[in-house]
Amino acid sequence: MFTEKIVEGVFKIKADSNLYFLDFDEKMVIDTGSDVNKDIVKRELGKLVELKDVKKVVFTHLHYDHIGNYKLFSNAEFFASSSEIEDFKKDPVGTTVSKEKLDIELEPIEELKGFEIIETPGHTRGSICLFFLKERVLFSGDTLFYKGYGRIDLPTSVPELMKKSLRKLEKLWYKVLCPGHEY
């Protein structure tokens, strides 16, 4: 099973890394998965929404396995943390851990209605988590998994900040964890 309903209006598509679709007034996607799984993403997400109707894509960080299907969303605006965008401008290959070109306009995410945006440097300097307040759902990217946390040995990792970021997340009272991967 590739698609799972998390809570009302929130769906997870499992395809290497997780993509989350939020079926609200403004259709939104959190991370887009790896392009290796483009057909799965296109098929499964297409059952839930016309891809052209997705208006916002928010990246928890810019590694290739989280941004790979951005081209599917032709009418969307794309957001990441300002630190992640800054690192991408300085070193695109190190930031994405790929030579694949990311040719979209990225906007810094400063606020998102109904969400708390939490800066969680460690996996990358600009990693963020999104906390959906109404349902207490934490979209943790590669900061926090079901059994552990993301790697801290990559070009834009900040290993010394990971523990602080994890402690920040421990203090949240979330009901559902939605990590970037199923481990």
Side-chain angles (χ1 to χ4, degrees):
M1 178 168 80
F2 291 106
T3 303
E4 175 185 344
K5 182 177 179 179
I6 303 297
V7 295
E8 193 61 41
V10 178
F11 299 86
K12 172 171 49 176
I13 296 176
K14 298 181 223 173
D16 183 31
S17 66
N18 295 324
L19 173 155
Y20 295 94
F21 169 61
L22 287 69
D23 191 8
F24 302 152
D25 291 337
E26 186 173 57
K27 311 297 184 209
M28 183 170 93
V29 165
I30 298 174
D31 292 337
T32 66
S34 172
D35 67 347
V36 170
N37 295 302
K38 184 188 299 184
D39 292 338
I40 294 169
V41 169
K42 205 171 175 181
R43 181 186 72 232
E44 295 299 311
L45 191 54
K47 294 176 186 176
L48 301 170
V49 65
E50 293 275 340
L51 299 182
K52 65 178 177 50
D53 292 338
V54 172
K55 298 301 179 199
K56 268 190 183 149
V57 173
V58 179
F59 296 116
T60 58
H61 64 293
L62 296 177
H63 285 162
Y64 72 93
D65 58 332
H66 293 262
I67 64 171
N69 293 304
Y70 72 91
K71 290 180 183 176
L72 295 176
F73 306 102
S74 57
N75 293 328
E77 290 181 279
F78 297 90
F79 297 88
S81 75
S82 55
S83 296
E84 199 75 353
I85 294 168
E86 211 175 274
D87 286 350
F88 176 74
K89 287 178 179 175
K90 287 181 197 167
D91 180 12
V93 172
T95 303
T96 62
V97 195
S98 168
K99 291 184 180 177
E100 190 74 26
K101 186 170 169 34
L102 180 64
D103 58 353
I104 54 173
E105 177 90 20
L106 288 165
E107 298 292 329
I109 187 155
E110 293 165 2
E111 62 181 353
L112 187 60
K113 185 178 177 189
F115 288 82
E116 181 181 344
I117 299 164
I118 305 164
E119 293 181 3
T120 53
H123 181 63
T124 70
R125 185 174 78 94
S127 287
I128 59 170
C129 295
L130 301 167
F131 188 38
F132 178 39
L133 298 166
K134 179 181 176 189
E135 297 287 348
R136 308 205 66 76
V137 176
L138 178 63
F139 300 93
S140 60
D142 284 0
T143 299
L144 179 64
F145 300 130
Y146 298 122
K147 297 178 182 177
Y149 55 88
R151 293 174 57 181
I152 51 175
D153 63 338
L154 299 164
T156 62
S157 294
V158 188
E160 64 274 14
L161 295 180
M162 183 58 107
K163 281 185 182 175
K164 182 178 178 185
S165 292
L166 292 170
R167 279 195 299 273
K168 193 185 296 187
L169 297 180
E170 280 176 0
K171 293 176 184 175
L172 290 178
W173 177 67
Y174 57 87
K175 291 182 183 177
V176 182
L177 178 63
C178 290
H181 299 273
E182 290 299 296
Y183 34 83

